[in-house]
Amino acid sequence: MKANSKLVCALGACLLLSNLGGCGSQGPGPTTSVSTTAQDKGGYTLDVLIQSPLTIIQYKSGEIEALLPTVDEHTYGYVKALNDCGIREDRLDRDYHLNFSLTPSSTNIDPNHKIPDEVRIDNTKETVKIDPMKKRFGKVALPMPREIVPIHLDDEGLTIFKKGGSKPIDHLYPTLIALRYTVPADPGVSLKNSSMSCPLEIEKLGKEMIVRVGMGPAVEDDDNDIHRHAKLAFTAERDLLQGLDRDIDYIKVADEAAVGMDVKRKRKHRTSDCQAPILLVTNAD
């Protein structure tokens, strides 16, 4: 797959220039190559950036739900472009749809195989129930994307594992995932629920457009408190998936040195990031 350097640069510029808050990575991190299908066909690409701590569900129909967990210190959800559309706790209807015009296609999931199996759950192999107790703070439903691509992978000692199982020490976990769509020049993006419609003003970066979905306000996660907030946020994500056997931990500095990890690289680029990885469920019922 050919790398689209323009998109990587555009997304990097967006992340560096936008101080949007939330619980996703705010600094530079590993990037992945992405498809040039939309450009080759003369179309535009809309990238919907899903920022931690959210759970992404893709149903067998191809449709997507981004579930916002109920977690302390995050008091609202947001959908952002040049303007903001809010998802707040005081709303009676917190289930939304992100509507826009697109060119239908099948989904290429994680084309560069960067998402570890610990956080990528195939519902045909590991059955979970999607929020049966309605614990979610809110939901944003989206159509089937062309691609699901991780944009930032966490490298600070995070490990996800089954209870009683071994703890991987070298896996990188996504805290920012792009849902990519082929769209017309004016896709008419709006956030809707049963009682409101909030049009989004989209800026074009060449043939790329960006919308961000996440939770706020920004939360500092104190390393000295053993990543309390990251663990809390991940637990809230996991609990939206009844039956999912996963725990979260962070490798201590002494343990990193013992296994030869480069301790000096740690905690150099964070500003405000809870570091909880995104869970991705595919083939959901």
Side-chain angles (χ1 to χ4, degrees), residues 66-70 87 94-96 135-140:
L67 300 182
L68 287 67
T70 301
I87 300 172
R94 301 175 205 158
D95 290 352
Y96 294 78
K135 292 182 177 181
R136 63 181 176 270
F137 181 95
K139 176 180 72 177
V140 178

Side-chain angles (χ1 to χ4, degrees), residues 13 16 37 46 53 66 98 101 109 131-132 138 145 148 163 168 176 182 197 205 211 213 222 229 241 250-251 275:
L16 289 172
T37 304
L46 174 67
L98 192 64
S101 300
I109 302 173
D131 194 23
I148 300 176
K163 294 177 182 178
L176 186 67
T182 302
S197 178
L205 303 172
V211 172
V213 179
D222 186 359
H229 182 75
L241 306 175
Y250 285 82
I251 304 299
Q275 303 177 34

Side-chain angles (χ1 to χ4, degrees), residues 42-117:
Y44 288 77
T45 292
L46 174 67
D47 290 294
V48 180
L49 305 185
I50 308 294
Q51 194 162 330
S52 171
L54 270 73
T55 298
I56 300 175
I57 312 295
Q58 184 171 43
Y59 291 90
K60 290 177 180 177
S61 65
E63 296 177 336
I64 295 285
E65 288 183 350
L67 300 182
L68 287 67
T70 301
V71 54
D72 288 350
E73 300 181 64
H74 286 295
T75 57
Y76 60 86
Y78 60 76
V79 179
K80 290 177 178 280
L82 291 178
N83 61 317
D84 296 356
C85 294
I87 300 172
R88 296 188 178 275
E89 194 171 17
D90 58 357
R91 291 193 179 275
L92 295 176
D93 185 355
R94 301 175 205 158
D95 290 352
Y96 294 78
H97 295 265
L98 192 64
N99 290 352
F100 50 89
S101 300
L102 75 157
T103 301
S105 64
S106 58
T107 304
N108 191 352
I109 302 173
D110 186 23
N112 294 300
H113 306 292
K114 298 293 186 181
I115 303 177
D117 290 341

Side-chain angles (χ1 to χ4, degrees), residues 140-157:
V140 178
L142 303 102
M144 179 190 297
R146 187 183 81 230
E147 285 182 325
I148 300 176
V149 182
I151 297 298
H152 181 271
L153 299 166
D154 194 283
D155 63 349
E156 297 196 4

Side-chain angles (χ1 to χ4, degrees), residues 257-278:
V259 298
M261 293 179 67
D262 184 2
V263 179
K264 292 182 180 179
R265 74 180 180 179
K266 288 174 59 61
R267 305 178 185 97
K268 297 297 184 184
H269 63 267
R270 298 289 177 179
T271 58
S272 183
D273 187 346
C274 80
Q275 303 177 34
I278 291 176

Side-chain angles (χ1 to χ4, degrees), residues 4 17 36 68 73 97 117 161 221 236 239 255 279 285:
N4 181 351
L17 294 174
T36 59
L68 287 67
E73 300 181 64
H97 295 265
D117 290 341
F161 55 97
D221 194 37
D239 289 350
D255 295 333
L279 287 166
D285 294 317

